[in-house]
């Protein structure tokens, strides 16, 4: 019977000695740990927010949004020197930090630029991604970067016009 032939066949040699398997497992575990440790050590530590930002929940939220969404172009302090600023097609990023804003410095102007973007430039509109709260917060942070007080309209949720 063909079944008999099956059972009489010698067992295939073990591919891996179970004892060796334990060492392989341990080695992989150590490699994983070493990778995690070097990631932790080599990652640039996030700079802590300056005290005036840390003390203001609106600016703190704005800073988080800014660092995630805006810093690549506008740069850490808003001078227009973000890592990809030099490679942008179209008009340059400009400088947010001197308060001389091309599109106006009223809160509604700044919010509009951030929400809707500037056609024909790399400044896109963020209202598809950011809810009104974070939009106001990042607009407030733009004032902070310009060294100007945050307009009261950005602090309460009332209409801006
Ligand atoms: C891909 C690059 C890029 C990103 C990301 C980006 N911007 Fe811009 N931004 C620009 C460019 C380019 C301009 C200049 C537009 C112009 O010339 O009118 C600009 C202009 C602005 C202005 C108007 C400045 C003025 O002079 O009136 C504001 C305010 C602004 N950005 C805020 C933000 C905020 C807040 C974010 C993040 C939510 C952001 N930007 C993300 C490229 C970017």
């Amino acid at each position: 019977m063909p079944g008999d032939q099956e059972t009489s066949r010698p067992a295939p040699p073990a591919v891996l000695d179970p004892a060796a398997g334990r060492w392989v497992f341990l080695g992989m575990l150590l490699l994983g740990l070493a990778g995690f440790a070097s990631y932790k050590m080599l990652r640039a530590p996030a700079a802590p927010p300056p005290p005036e930002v840390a003390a203001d929940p609106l600016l703190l939220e704005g800073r988080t949004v800014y660092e995630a969404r805006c810093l690549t172009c506008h740069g850490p302090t808003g001078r227009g020197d973000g890592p990809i600023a030099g490679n942008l097609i179209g008009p340059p990023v400009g400088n947010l930090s001197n308060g001389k804003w091309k599109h106006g410095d009223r809160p509604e102007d700044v919010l509009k630029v951030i929400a809707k973007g500037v056609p024909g430039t790399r400044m896109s509109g963020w209202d598809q991604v950011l809810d009104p709260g974070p939009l106001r917060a990042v607009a407030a942070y733009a004032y902070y970067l310009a060294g100007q007080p945050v307009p009261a309209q950005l602090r309460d949720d009332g209409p801006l016009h």
Side-chain angles (χ1 to χ4, degrees):
M1 276 172 70
D4 286 348
Q5 266 180 353
E6 280 297 314
T7 46
S8 62
R9 205 182 271 169
V15 179
L16 194 63
D17 178 346
R22 218 168 298 138
W23 286 109
V24 169
F25 174 74
L26 206 71
M28 285 182 10
L29 196 73
L30 281 176
L31 265 182
L33 284 177
F36 182 69
S38 37
Y39 167 75
K40 278 273 178 202
M41 285 188 300
L42 296 177
R43 196 176 54 147
E52 64 272 28
V53 173
D56 184 334
L58 186 72
L59 288 183
L60 202 59
E61 183 186 3
R63 183 178 195 261
T64 307
V65 176
Y66 184 86
E67 297 203 332
R69 309 284 190 183
C70 323
L71 187 148
T72 37
C73 290
H74 288 279
T77 56
R79 292 211 191 99
D81 55 355
I84 66 165
N87 289 345
L88 293 183
I89 297 160
V93 177
N95 187 349
L96 295 180
S97 74
N98 58 12
K100 291 186 192 128
W101 291 338
K102 193 167 146 185
H103 299 280
D105 63 1
R106 294 174 309 165
E108 54 266 39
D109 303 327
V110 177
L111 257 187
K112 189 173 166 224
V113 169
I114 301 173
K116 300 293 173 201
V118 182
T121 78
R122 289 281 146 179
M123 178 60 193
S124 41
W126 292 90
D127 64 353
Q128 302 282 310
V129 184
L130 299 173
D131 286 334
L135 269 180
R136 279 172 192 252
V138 80
Y141 194 70
Y143 280 90
Y144 166 76
L145 290 176
Q148 294 179 15
V150 175
Q153 294 100 304
L154 291 176
R155 291 209 178 266
D156 40 63
D157 286 336
L160 284 163
H161 304 286

